[in-house]
Amino acid sequence: MKKFISIMLSAVLAFSMLSGCAKEEPKDEGKLQKVVVTLDWTPNTNHTGLYVAKDKGYYEEAGLDVQIIQPGEGTADQLVAANKAQFGVSYQESVTLARLENVPVVSIAAVIQHNTSGFASVKDKGIVTPKDYEGKRYGGWGSPIEKATLKALMDKYGGDVEKVQILTTGATDFFASSEKDVDFAWIFEGWTGIEAKLKGIELNYIDLGKENEALDYYTPVLITNENNIKNNPELVEKFMTATSKGYESAIENPGEAAQILLDNAPELNPELVKASQEFLSTKYKDDADVWGYQKETVWQKYTDWLFDNKLIESKIEVSKAFTNDFLPQKAK
């Protein structure tokens, strides 16, 4: 579901090459305005609201002809920064690193209100608390953020992160790698966690957001670029009005939303999609007044955490990294 920070670091370096190719789409009165939205990964239930908005005609009602694409060789941040895609799916950590490199992407909505990712292991591994990571093998993407996150959790429980064998396994299947290569990995509860239940596999799962408030950040988010916000705010407003309706519909009708996603991505496991959609329907908005709302404190705490753990050399101005201005209903 997720391209991690190591990929993002190389992506921002390529931004300058792409940005030179950026150009505005010509407006044609009386016709739908063409818009490209790039996903972060292959289609999954994080993206359902986009497909619902398209399938139910919300984008068309807003005067938009939306094409949803997968990022291919580049990342969503690259494509959106260069306006090759006007909107995309990213993560708070990616936006933070991008802005440190002066890549002008801005988060315009939190897809899920709280972080639903964490470290999971098959129950037979006997990993109950983060201290139990000592002497175990962790499989991940090779990002320094992963080790820092493990350290934060283990410090809290008196563990030593230097006693963890950290392996770079990439996007390998969690269940296959757990059988022989690794003891635990970083998963999304709403996808791999649900898949484990369907397979009848018991997991020990340690929720990042519940263990450390700073790690309860926004993942994923929807992004656009500063140029669209400054020079084409009507486009951003139209897109967000329709997209919000899509996610609100997915919240109210998870079964219908799951089927819409399956119609657009028939390669997905129907049982997994339907169960995941049911789970996420309570997570999209959660305790927020409106879907998509972002708190400055969430952005600030995670930026401070990255800086305090020496993962970034300076802090971003978080008020410029996100905005709630285009949500159809601002939270009170």
Side-chain angles (χ1 to χ4, degrees), residues 46 88-92 106-115 216-223 240 243-244 247 251 283-286 288 290-295 298-299 322-324 327:
N46 284 342
V89 180
S90 185
Y91 314 94
Q92 183 175 335
V106 179
S107 174
I108 49 177
V111 174
I112 301 171
Q113 191 58 213
H114 293 279
N115 190 346
D216 188 16
Y217 53 85
Y218 298 121
T219 176
V221 297
L222 299 183
I223 59 171
M240 283 306 302
T243 301
S244 296
Y247 277 97
I251 291 168
K283 306 294 183 184
Y284 287 133
K285 185 163 66 176
D286 208 297
V290 297
W291 173 83
Y293 186 72
Q294 302 171 84
K295 297 177 182 176
V298 173
W299 280 87
F322 78 97
T323 178
N324 292 310
L327 295 177

mmCIF file of all heavy atoms in Angstrom, residues 46 88-92 106-115 216-223 240 243-244 247 251 283-286 288 290-295 298-299 322-324 327:
data_model
loop_
_atom_site.group_PDB
_atom_site.id
_atom_site.type_symbol
_atom_site.label_atom_id
_atom_site.label_comp_id
_atom_site.label_asym_id
_atom_site.label_seq_id
_atom_site.Cartn_x
_atom_site.Cartn_y
_atom_site.Cartn_z
ATOM 1 N N ASN A 46 -7.821 2.483 0.651
ATOM 2 C CA ASN A 46 -7.510 3.884 0.962
ATOM 3 C C ASN A 46 -8.040 4.813 -0.133
ATOM 4 O O ASN A 46 -8.284 5.991 0.098
ATOM 5 C CB ASN A 46 -6.004 4.095 1.089
ATOM 6 C CG ASN A 46 -5.441 3.561 2.391
ATOM 7 O OD1 ASN A 46 -6.179 3.324 3.339
ATOM 8 N ND2 ASN A 46 -4.133 3.363 2.447
ATOM 9 N N GLY A 88 -2.952 13.986 -5.984
ATOM 10 C CA GLY A 88 -2.360 12.677 -5.767
ATOM 11 C C GLY A 88 -2.566 12.196 -4.343
ATOM 12 O O GLY A 88 -3.081 12.914 -3.482
ATOM 13 N N VAL A 89 -2.144 10.947 -4.115
ATOM 14 C CA VAL A 89 -2.194 10.335 -2.788
ATOM 15 C C VAL A 89 -0.766 10.228 -2.272
ATOM 16 O O VAL A 89 0.109 9.676 -2.935
ATOM 17 C CB VAL A 89 -2.842 8.938 -2.839
ATOM 18 C CG1 VAL A 89 -2.887 8.318 -1.444
ATOM 19 C CG2 VAL A 89 -4.239 9.016 -3.440
ATOM 20 N N SER A 90 -0.541 10.781 -1.085
ATOM 21 C CA SER A 90 0.802 10.752 -0.503
ATOM 22 C C SER A 90 0.671 10.485 0.997
ATOM 23 O O SER A 90 -0.339 9.929 1.447
ATOM 24 C CB SER A 90 1.522 12.075 -0.779
ATOM 25 O OG SER A 90 2.863 12.026 -0.321
ATOM 26 N N TYR A 91 1.700 10.884 1.760
ATOM 27 C CA TYR A 91 1.733 10.652 3.207
ATOM 28 C C TYR A 91 2.334 11.876 3.880
ATOM 29 O O TYR A 91 3.105 12.619 3.284
ATOM 30 C CB TYR A 91 2.596 9.427 3.537
ATOM 31 C CG TYR A 91 2.307 8.265 2.646
ATOM 32 C CD1 TYR A 91 3.064 8.050 1.505
ATOM 33 C CD2 TYR A 91 1.239 7.423 2.914
ATOM 34 C CE1 TYR A 91 2.778 7.001 0.654
ATOM 35 C CE2 TYR A 91 0.944 6.372 2.073
ATOM 36 C CZ TYR A 91 1.716 6.165 0.944
ATOM 37 O OH TYR A 91 1.417 5.140 0.098
ATOM 38 N N GLN A 92 1.997 12.052 5.147
ATOM 39 C CA GLN A 92 2.548 13.205 5.867
ATOM 40 C C GLN A 92 4.079 13.190 5.865
ATOM 41 O O GLN A 92 4.707 14.232 5.705
ATOM 42 C CB GLN A 92 2.026 13.220 7.304
ATOM 43 C CG GLN A 92 2.503 14.434 8.089
ATOM 44 C CD GLN A 92 1.884 14.518 9.474
ATOM 45 O OE1 GLN A 92 0.814 13.994 9.727
ATOM 46 N NE2 GLN A 92 2.563 15.199 10.381
ATOM 47 N N VAL A 106 1.328 20.204 -1.245
ATOM 48 C CA VAL A 106 0.549 20.607 -0.073
ATOM 49 C C VAL A 106 -0.536 19.569 0.172
ATOM 50 O O VAL A 106 -1.247 19.173 -0.765
ATOM 51 C CB VAL A 106 -0.105 21.988 -0.299
ATOM 52 C CG1 VAL A 106 -0.942 22.382 0.919
ATOM 53 C CG2 VAL A 106 0.947 23.048 -0.597
ATOM 54 N N SER A 107 -0.677 19.141 1.408
ATOM 55 C CA SER A 107 -1.736 18.202 1.762
ATOM 56 C C SER A 107 -3.059 18.943 1.882
ATOM 57 O O SER A 107 -3.165 19.942 2.595
ATOM 58 C CB SER A 107 -1.401 17.512 3.096
ATOM 59 O OG SER A 107 -2.493 16.715 3.512
ATOM 60 N N ILE A 108 -4.106 18.425 1.198
ATOM 61 C CA ILE A 108 -5.406 19.103 1.217
ATOM 62 C C ILE A 108 -6.479 18.262 1.917
ATOM 63 O O ILE A 108 -7.614 18.717 2.058
ATOM 64 C CB ILE A 108 -5.877 19.458 -0.209
ATOM 65 C CG1 ILE A 108 -5.767 18.252 -1.155
ATOM 66 C CG2 ILE A 108 -5.064 20.629 -0.747
ATOM 67 C CD1 ILE A 108 -6.288 18.512 -2.556
ATOM 68 N N ALA A 109 -6.117 17.047 2.371
ATOM 69 C CA ALA A 109 -7.077 16.240 3.131
ATOM 70 C C ALA A 109 -6.377 15.027 3.734
ATOM 71 O O ALA A 109 -5.481 14.452 3.117
ATOM 72 C CB ALA A 109 -8.224 15.754 2.243
ATOM 73 N N ALA A 110 -6.787 14.669 4.936
ATOM 74 C CA ALA A 110 -6.340 13.411 5.537
ATOM 75 C C ALA A 110 -7.334 12.333 5.116
ATOM 76 O O ALA A 110 -8.521 12.430 5.426
ATOM 77 C CB ALA A 110 -6.306 13.526 7.055
ATOM 78 N N VAL A 111 -6.854 11.331 4.399
ATOM 79 C CA VAL A 111 -7.774 10.266 3.950
ATOM 80 C C VAL A 111 -8.299 9.493 5.152
ATOM 81 O O VAL A 111 -9.484 9.165 5.223
ATOM 82 C CB VAL A 111 -7.058 9.323 2.963
ATOM 83 C CG1 VAL A 111 -7.957 8.135 2.605
ATOM 84 C CG2 VAL A 111 -6.653 10.074 1.701
ATOM 85 N N ILE A 112 -7.405 9.189 6.092
ATOM 86 C CA ILE A 112 -7.772 8.483 7.327
ATOM 87 C C ILE A 112 -7.361 9.373 8.499
ATOM 88 O O ILE A 112 -6.257 9.923 8.512
ATOM 89 C CB ILE A 112 -7.075 7.112 7.405
ATOM 90 C CG1 ILE A 112 -7.485 6.248 6.192
ATOM 91 C CG2 ILE A 112 -7.415 6.401 8.704
ATOM 92 C CD1 ILE A 112 -6.702 4.965 6.070
ATOM 93 N N GLN A 113 -8.223 9.518 9.471
ATOM 94 C CA GLN A 113 -8.010 10.502 10.535
ATOM 95 C C GLN A 113 -6.880 10.120 11.479
ATOM 96 O O GLN A 113 -6.213 10.994 12.045
ATOM 97 C CB GLN A 113 -9.308 10.707 11.311
ATOM 98 C CG GLN A 113 -9.280 11.881 12.263
ATOM 99 C CD GLN A 113 -8.984 13.211 11.594
ATOM 100 O OE1 GLN A 113 -8.357 14.073 12.195
ATOM 101 N NE2 GLN A 113 -9.398 13.405 10.357
ATOM 102 N N HIS A 114 -6.644 8.830 11.696
ATOM 103 C CA HIS A 114 -5.562 8.394 12.577
ATOM 104 C C HIS A 114 -4.712 7.343 11.873
ATOM 105 O O HIS A 114 -5.190 6.631 10.982
ATOM 106 C CB HIS A 114 -6.127 7.820 13.882
ATOM 107 C CG HIS A 114 -6.810 8.826 14.747
ATOM 108 N ND1 HIS A 114 -6.118 9.689 15.582
ATOM 109 C CD2 HIS A 114 -8.124 9.133 14.889
ATOM 110 C CE1 HIS A 114 -6.984 10.472 16.214
ATOM 111 N NE2 HIS A 114 -8.207 10.166 15.808
ATOM 112 N N ASN A 115 -3.472 7.247 12.306
ATOM 113 C CA ASN A 115 -2.545 6.266 11.736
ATOM 114 C C ASN A 115 -3.043 4.852 12.043
ATOM 115 O O ASN A 115 -3.190 4.482 13.212
ATOM 116 C CB ASN A 115 -1.155 6.482 12.335
ATOM 117 C CG ASN A 115 -0.089 5.670 11.624
ATOM 118 O OD1 ASN A 115 -0.385 4.765 10.860
ATOM 119 N ND2 ASN A 115 1.155 6.002 11.877
ATOM 120 N N ASP A 216 1.068 9.220 15.606
ATOM 121 C CA ASP A 216 -0.315 9.194 15.128
ATOM 122 C C ASP A 216 -0.478 10.286 14.072
ATOM 123 O O ASP A 216 -1.248 11.223 14.219
ATOM 124 C CB ASP A 216 -1.286 9.418 16.296
ATOM 125 C CG ASP A 216 -2.738 9.200 15.879
ATOM 126 O OD1 ASP A 216 -2.967 8.596 14.803
ATOM 127 O OD2 ASP A 216 -3.634 9.640 16.622
ATOM 128 N N TYR A 217 0.273 10.139 12.990
ATOM 129 C CA TYR A 217 0.276 11.147 11.928
ATOM 130 C C TYR A 217 -0.653 10.714 10.794
ATOM 131 O O TYR A 217 -1.239 9.633 10.835
ATOM 132 C CB TYR A 217 1.700 11.397 11.417
ATOM 133 C CG TYR A 217 2.449 10.152 10.996
ATOM 134 C CD1 TYR A 217 2.311 9.628 9.715
ATOM 135 C CD2 TYR A 217 3.317 9.503 11.882
ATOM 136 C CE1 TYR A 217 2.993 8.502 9.328
ATOM 137 C CE2 TYR A 217 4.005 8.375 11.501
ATOM 138 C CZ TYR A 217 3.845 7.874 10.227
ATOM 139 O OH TYR A 217 4.519 6.740 9.853
ATOM 140 N N TYR A 218 -0.766 11.578 9.768
ATOM 141 C CA TYR A 218 -1.715 11.331 8.684
ATOM 142 C C TYR A 218 -1.094 10.476 7.582
ATOM 143 O O TYR A 218 -0.138 10.888 6.931
ATOM 144 C CB TYR A 218 -2.214 12.650 8.108
ATOM 145 C CG TYR A 218 -2.961 13.499 9.107
ATOM 146 C CD1 TYR A 218 -2.541 14.786 9.425
ATOM 147 C CD2 TYR A 218 -4.094 13.001 9.754
ATOM 148 C CE1 TYR A 218 -3.230 15.563 10.342
ATOM 149 C CE2 TYR A 218 -4.791 13.765 10.677
ATOM 150 C CZ TYR A 218 -4.350 15.049 10.965
ATOM 151 O OH TYR A 218 -5.035 15.817 11.886
ATOM 152 N N THR A 219 -1.673 9.306 7.373
ATOM 153 C CA THR A 219 -1.185 8.409 6.340
ATOM 154 C C THR A 219 -2.330 7.538 5.858
ATOM 155 O O THR A 219 -2.818 6.714 6.635
ATOM 156 C CB THR A 219 -0.004 7.558 6.852
ATOM 157 O OG1 THR A 219 0.379 6.615 5.839
ATOM 158 C CG2 THR A 219 -0.289 6.795 8.127
ATOM 159 N N PRO A 220 -2.796 7.765 4.635
ATOM 160 C CA PRO A 220 -2.321 8.686 3.606
ATOM 161 C C PRO A 220 -3.037 10.045 3.646
ATOM 162 O O PRO A 220 -3.947 10.246 4.458
ATOM 163 C CB PRO A 220 -2.669 7.942 2.315
ATOM 164 C CG PRO A 220 -3.928 7.200 2.663
ATOM 165 C CD PRO A 220 -3.809 6.819 4.123
ATOM 166 N N VAL A 221 -2.578 10.943 2.736
ATOM 167 C CA VAL A 221 -3.217 12.246 2.549
ATOM 168 C C VAL A 221 -3.418 12.477 1.051
ATOM 169 O O VAL A 221 -2.789 11.805 0.222
ATOM 170 C CB VAL A 221 -2.361 13.402 3.123
ATOM 171 C CG1 VAL A 221 -2.185 13.263 4.621
ATOM 172 C CG2 VAL A 221 -0.994 13.484 2.426
ATOM 173 N N LEU A 222 -4.293 13.428 0.713
ATOM 174 C CA LEU A 222 -4.424 13.884 -0.667
ATOM 175 C C LEU A 222 -3.619 15.163 -0.836
ATOM 176 O O LEU A 222 -3.612 16.010 0.063
ATOM 177 C CB LEU A 222 -5.889 14.151 -1.029
ATOM 178 C CG LEU A 222 -6.843 12.954 -0.929
ATOM 179 C CD1 LEU A 222 -8.248 13.365 -1.385
ATOM 180 C CD2 LEU A 222 -6.346 11.776 -1.754
ATOM 181 N N ILE A 223 -2.951 15.296 -1.971
ATOM 182 C CA ILE A 223 -2.087 16.458 -2.174
ATOM 183 C C ILE A 223 -2.394 17.157 -3.500
ATOM 184 O O ILE A 223 -2.935 16.564 -4.420
ATOM 185 C CB ILE A 223 -0.581 16.061 -2.169
ATOM 186 C CG1 ILE A 223 -0.281 15.028 -3.280
ATOM 187 C CG2 ILE A 223 -0.177 15.530 -0.807
ATOM 188 C CD1 ILE A 223 1.208 14.752 -3.464
ATOM 189 N N MET A 240 -12.173 18.872 -4.374
ATOM 190 C CA MET A 240 -12.370 18.471 -2.986
ATOM 191 C C MET A 240 -13.851 18.318 -2.626
ATOM 192 O O MET A 240 -14.215 17.465 -1.820
ATOM 193 C CB MET A 240 -11.698 19.477 -2.054
ATOM 194 C CG MET A 240 -10.181 19.315 -1.991
ATOM 195 S SD MET A 240 -9.699 17.627 -1.553
ATOM 196 C CE MET A 240 -10.512 17.452 0.015
ATOM 197 N N THR A 243 -14.677 14.923 -4.126
ATOM 198 C CA THR A 243 -13.962 13.850 -3.439
ATOM 199 C C THR A 243 -14.526 13.632 -2.038
ATOM 200 O O THR A 243 -14.668 12.495 -1.581
ATOM 201 C CB THR A 243 -12.457 14.176 -3.359
ATOM 202 O OG1 THR A 243 -11.943 14.327 -4.691
ATOM 203 C CG2 THR A 243 -11.695 13.068 -2.655
ATOM 204 N N SER A 244 -14.849 14.719 -1.364
ATOM 205 C CA SER A 244 -15.441 14.592 -0.025
ATOM 206 C C SER A 244 -16.750 13.824 -0.088
ATOM 207 O O SER A 244 -17.034 12.971 0.763
ATOM 208 C CB SER A 244 -15.680 15.975 0.584
ATOM 209 O OG SER A 244 -14.464 16.651 0.793
ATOM 210 N N TYR A 247 -15.932 10.107 -0.333
ATOM 211 C CA TYR A 247 -15.551 9.456 0.932
ATOM 212 C C TYR A 247 -16.720 9.400 1.913
ATOM 213 O O TYR A 247 -16.866 8.421 2.649
ATOM 214 C CB TYR A 247 -14.323 10.144 1.542
ATOM 215 C CG TYR A 247 -13.041 9.629 0.924
ATOM 216 C CD1 TYR A 247 -12.418 10.317 -0.100
ATOM 217 C CD2 TYR A 247 -12.481 8.415 1.342
ATOM 218 C CE1 TYR A 247 -11.262 9.834 -0.698
ATOM 219 C CE2 TYR A 247 -11.331 7.915 0.752
ATOM 220 C CZ TYR A 247 -10.718 8.628 -0.263
ATOM 221 O OH TYR A 247 -9.571 8.118 -0.856
ATOM 222 N N ILE A 251 -18.205 6.029 3.610
ATOM 223 C CA ILE A 251 -18.431 5.880 5.056
ATOM 224 C C ILE A 251 -19.834 5.339 5.322
ATOM 225 O O ILE A 251 -20.030 4.451 6.137
ATOM 226 C CB ILE A 251 -18.229 7.243 5.755
ATOM 227 C CG1 ILE A 251 -16.757 7.647 5.718
ATOM 228 C CG2 ILE A 251 -18.740 7.194 7.211
ATOM 229 C CD1 ILE A 251 -16.493 9.094 6.119
ATOM 230 N N LYS A 283 -12.978 4.553 10.094
ATOM 231 C CA LYS A 283 -11.678 5.205 10.322
ATOM 232 C C LYS A 283 -11.479 6.458 9.480
ATOM 233 O O LYS A 283 -10.658 7.305 9.833
ATOM 234 C CB LYS A 283 -10.531 4.226 10.022
ATOM 235 C CG LYS A 283 -10.618 2.892 10.766
ATOM 236 C CD LYS A 283 -10.457 3.072 12.266
ATOM 237 C CE LYS A 283 -10.471 1.719 12.969
ATOM 238 N NZ LYS A 283 -10.421 1.865 14.452
ATOM 239 N N TYR A 284 -12.173 6.547 8.330
ATOM 240 C CA TYR A 284 -11.936 7.692 7.444
ATOM 241 C C TYR A 284 -12.111 9.016 8.191
ATOM 242 O O TYR A 284 -11.248 9.887 8.171
ATOM 243 C CB TYR A 284 -12.904 7.658 6.263
ATOM 244 C CG TYR A 284 -12.645 6.605 5.218
ATOM 245 C CD1 TYR A 284 -13.682 5.804 4.741
ATOM 246 C CD2 TYR A 284 -11.380 6.415 4.672
ATOM 247 C CE1 TYR A 284 -13.463 4.849 3.759
ATOM 248 C CE2 TYR A 284 -11.150 5.460 3.697
ATOM 249 C CZ TYR A 284 -12.196 4.680 3.247
ATOM 250 O OH TYR A 284 -11.981 3.732 2.284
ATOM 251 N N LYS A 285 -13.253 9.169 8.843
ATOM 252 C CA LYS A 285 -13.537 10.423 9.560
ATOM 253 C C LYS A 285 -13.257 10.288 11.045
ATOM 254 O O LYS A 285 -12.803 11.236 11.680
ATOM 255 C CB LYS A 285 -14.989 10.846 9.326
ATOM 256 C CG LYS A 285 -15.348 12.184 9.924
ATOM 257 C CD LYS A 285 -16.622 12.743 9.337
ATOM 258 C CE LYS A 285 -17.849 11.923 9.668
ATOM 259 N NZ LYS A 285 -19.101 12.526 9.169
ATOM 260 N N ASP A 286 -13.558 9.143 11.584
ATOM 261 C CA ASP A 286 -13.321 8.836 12.991
ATOM 262 C C ASP A 286 -13.851 9.934 13.902
ATOM 263 O O ASP A 286 -15.029 10.260 13.852
ATOM 264 C CB ASP A 286 -11.816 8.593 13.220
ATOM 265 C CG ASP A 286 -11.559 7.657 14.384
ATOM 266 O OD1 ASP A 286 -11.931 8.031 15.510
ATOM 267 O OD2 ASP A 286 -11.029 6.564 14.196
ATOM 268 N N ALA A 288 -13.132 13.176 13.855
ATOM 269 C CA ALA A 288 -13.127 14.527 13.272
ATOM 270 C C ALA A 288 -14.559 14.973 12.970
ATOM 271 O O ALA A 288 -15.447 14.155 12.780
ATOM 272 C CB ALA A 288 -12.305 14.540 11.995
ATOM 273 N N VAL A 290 -15.453 16.610 10.271
ATOM 274 C CA VAL A 290 -15.698 16.371 8.844
ATOM 275 C C VAL A 290 -14.583 15.501 8.301
ATOM 276 O O VAL A 290 -13.458 15.502 8.809
ATOM 277 C CB VAL A 290 -15.756 17.689 8.035
ATOM 278 C CG1 VAL A 290 -16.916 18.541 8.486
ATOM 279 C CG2 VAL A 290 -14.445 18.450 8.138
ATOM 280 N N TRP A 291 -14.889 14.739 7.246
ATOM 281 C CA TRP A 291 -13.843 13.941 6.610
ATOM 282 C C TRP A 291 -12.752 14.861 6.049
ATOM 283 O O TRP A 291 -13.041 15.911 5.484
ATOM 284 C CB TRP A 291 -14.426 13.107 5.453
ATOM 285 C CG TRP A 291 -13.321 12.433 4.695
ATOM 286 C CD1 TRP A 291 -12.702 11.268 5.014
ATOM 287 C CD2 TRP A 291 -12.662 12.936 3.529
ATOM 288 N NE1 TRP A 291 -11.687 10.999 4.116
ATOM 289 C CE2 TRP A 291 -11.649 12.007 3.196
ATOM 290 C CE3 TRP A 291 -12.825 14.074 2.746
ATOM 291 C CZ2 TRP A 291 -10.798 12.184 2.105
ATOM 292 C CZ3 TRP A 291 -11.978 14.255 1.663
ATOM 293 C CH2 TRP A 291 -10.989 13.316 1.336
ATOM 294 N N GLY A 292 -11.517 14.428 6.205
ATOM 295 C CA GLY A 292 -10.396 15.134 5.591
ATOM 296 C C GLY A 292 -9.695 16.138 6.471
ATOM 297 O O GLY A 292 -8.610 16.614 6.137
ATOM 298 N N TYR A 293 -10.302 16.481 7.630
ATOM 299 C CA TYR A 293 -9.754 17.560 8.452
ATOM 300 C C TYR A 293 -8.365 17.199 9.000
ATOM 301 O O TYR A 293 -8.109 16.071 9.408
ATOM 302 C CB TYR A 293 -10.688 17.855 9.617
ATOM 303 C CG TYR A 293 -10.270 19.064 10.428
ATOM 304 C CD1 TYR A 293 -10.409 20.338 9.905
ATOM 305 C CD2 TYR A 293 -9.723 18.917 11.699
ATOM 306 C CE1 TYR A 293 -10.015 21.446 10.637
ATOM 307 C CE2 TYR A 293 -9.327 20.021 12.434
ATOM 308 C CZ TYR A 293 -9.478 21.282 11.897
ATOM 309 O OH TYR A 293 -9.082 22.379 12.627
ATOM 310 N N GLN A 294 -7.469 18.185 9.009
ATOM 311 C CA GLN A 294 -6.113 18.000 9.517
ATOM 312 C C GLN A 294 -5.829 19.017 10.619
ATOM 313 O O GLN A 294 -6.180 20.196 10.493
ATOM 314 C CB GLN A 294 -5.090 18.191 8.387
ATOM 315 C CG GLN A 294 -5.288 17.246 7.217
ATOM 316 C CD GLN A 294 -4.401 17.603 6.043
ATOM 317 O OE1 GLN A 294 -3.237 17.214 5.996
ATOM 318 N NE2 GLN A 294 -4.949 18.349 5.098
ATOM 319 N N LYS A 295 -5.166 18.529 11.679
ATOM 320 C CA LYS A 295 -4.806 19.391 12.799
ATOM 321 C C LYS A 295 -3.340 19.822 12.680
ATOM 322 O O LYS A 295 -2.466 19.002 12.395
ATOM 323 C CB LYS A 295 -5.000 18.645 14.116
ATOM 324 C CG LYS A 295 -6.430 18.235 14.408
ATOM 325 C CD LYS A 295 -6.492 17.435 15.701
ATOM 326 C CE LYS A 295 -7.909 16.971 15.999
ATOM 327 N NZ LYS A 295 -7.956 16.105 17.209
ATOM 328 N N VAL A 298 -0.918 17.789 14.856
ATOM 329 C CA VAL A 298 -0.455 16.500 14.322
ATOM 330 C C VAL A 298 0.749 16.717 13.423
ATOM 331 O O VAL A 298 1.762 15.995 13.513
ATOM 332 C CB VAL A 298 -1.593 15.791 13.566
ATOM 333 C CG1 VAL A 298 -1.073 14.539 12.868
ATOM 334 C CG2 VAL A 298 -2.719 15.434 14.521
ATOM 335 N N TRP A 299 0.685 17.714 12.563
ATOM 336 C CA TRP A 299 1.819 18.014 11.680
ATOM 337 C C TRP A 299 3.039 18.453 12.482
ATOM 338 O O TRP A 299 4.166 18.039 12.206
ATOM 339 C CB TRP A 299 1.417 19.107 10.669
ATOM 340 C CG TRP A 299 0.637 18.553 9.529
ATOM 341 C CD1 TRP A 299 -0.710 18.360 9.463
ATOM 342 C CD2 TRP A 299 1.161 18.066 8.289
ATOM 343 N NE1 TRP A 299 -1.055 17.791 8.260
ATOM 344 C CE2 TRP A 299 0.062 17.606 7.522
ATOM 345 C CE3 TRP A 299 2.440 17.992 7.751
ATOM 346 C CZ2 TRP A 299 0.223 17.063 6.242
ATOM 347 C CZ3 TRP A 299 2.602 17.453 6.476
ATOM 348 C CH2 TRP A 299 1.513 16.993 5.742
ATOM 349 N N PHE A 322 0.023 21.979 4.836
ATOM 350 C CA PHE A 322 -1.336 21.449 4.709
ATOM 351 C C PHE A 322 -2.330 22.597 4.747
ATOM 352 O O PHE A 322 -2.013 23.715 5.173
ATOM 353 C CB PHE A 322 -1.639 20.464 5.851
ATOM 354 C CG PHE A 322 -1.968 21.139 7.160
ATOM 355 C CD1 PHE A 322 -3.300 21.337 7.536
ATOM 356 C CD2 PHE A 322 -0.972 21.602 7.983
ATOM 357 C CE1 PHE A 322 -3.614 21.969 8.729
ATOM 358 C CE2 PHE A 322 -1.272 22.250 9.178
ATOM 359 C CZ PHE A 322 -2.596 22.435 9.553
ATOM 360 N N THR A 323 -3.549 22.307 4.316
ATOM 361 C CA THR A 323 -4.629 23.294 4.414
ATOM 362 C C THR A 323 -5.972 22.577 4.526
ATOM 363 O O THR A 323 -6.160 21.512 3.934
ATOM 364 C CB THR A 323 -4.656 24.240 3.198
ATOM 365 O OG1 THR A 323 -5.752 25.154 3.332
ATOM 366 C CG2 THR A 323 -4.826 23.475 1.895
ATOM 367 N N ASN A 324 -6.882 23.168 5.292
ATOM 368 C CA ASN A 324 -8.276 22.693 5.369
ATOM 369 C C ASN A 324 -9.207 23.590 4.553
ATOM 370 O O ASN A 324 -10.421 23.404 4.581
ATOM 371 C CB ASN A 324 -8.750 22.681 6.830
ATOM 372 C CG ASN A 324 -8.036 21.634 7.660
ATOM 373 O OD1 ASN A 324 -7.966 20.480 7.263
ATOM 374 N ND2 ASN A 324 -7.515 22.035 8.813
ATOM 375 N N LEU A 327 -11.915 21.991 2.126
ATOM 376 C CA LEU A 327 -12.936 21.052 2.580
ATOM 377 C C LEU A 327 -14.298 21.730 2.483
ATOM 378 O O LEU A 327 -14.433 22.912 2.813
ATOM 379 C CB LEU A 327 -12.668 20.632 4.027
ATOM 380 C CG LEU A 327 -11.374 19.844 4.265
ATOM 381 C CD1 LEU A 327 -11.188 19.562 5.755
ATOM 382 C CD2 LEU A 327 -11.388 18.549 3.479
#
